[in-house]
Amino acid sequence: TGERALTLDVEQALYRVAQEALSNIARHSDADTAELALDLGPSRVRLVVADNGRGFELGVVPPSSLGLTSMRQRLTEIGGTLEVETRLAVGTRVVAQVESPLP
């Protein structure tokens, strides 16, 4: 929802987060539905990628798992945050948020 310009670093980070989240869904979730939403507010951008897959336990993700780590790192570099909500047998929801003034 919404429409506005983003800085290149924000645009690229959100693209890569969406790409990684969708890749994780395809590889690991056994989901039959995935949803992607992008909300472009006047000073905030919010990306949500959710699935109805098997979910996972956040505390069990090995440190060598690069997907969540790389998403979090990309957002940290631009002042953003990443939240991961997951429940076994229900699915996973990844929320990336960046305070992003107009370029």
Side-chain angles (χ1 to χ4, degrees):
T1 58
E3 186 174 323
R4 71 180 188 92
L6 298 174
T7 60
L8 183 59
D9 59 340
V10 170
E11 192 174 294
Q12 287 177 337
L14 291 173
Y15 177 79
R16 295 295 182 206
V17 168
Q19 187 177 41
E20 182 63 36
L22 291 170
S23 176
N24 285 344
I25 291 169
R27 285 189 309 224
H28 305 295
S29 76
D30 291 330
D32 60 17
T33 302
E35 296 180 1
L36 186 134
L38 181 63
D39 179 29
L40 300 165
S43 63
R44 176 186 57 91
V45 179
R46 186 169 189 248
L47 169 70
V48 179
V49 182
D51 69 65
N52 67 346
R54 62 181 172 190
F56 61 96
E57 293 183 46
L58 276 173
V60 179
V61 177
S64 60
S65 175
L66 297 178
L68 292 175
T69 301
S70 69
M71 286 190 276
R72 190 165 277 116
Q73 182 178 12
R74 284 182 193 280
L75 289 165
T76 299
E77 289 172 0
I78 60 168
T81 59
L82 183 77
E83 295 177 26
V84 179
E85 304 163 4
T86 183
R87 289 183 47 207
L88 292 176
V90 175
T92 301
R93 185 173 183 250
V94 173
V95 180
Q97 187 163 290
V98 180
E99 298 299 322
S100 176
L102 293 170

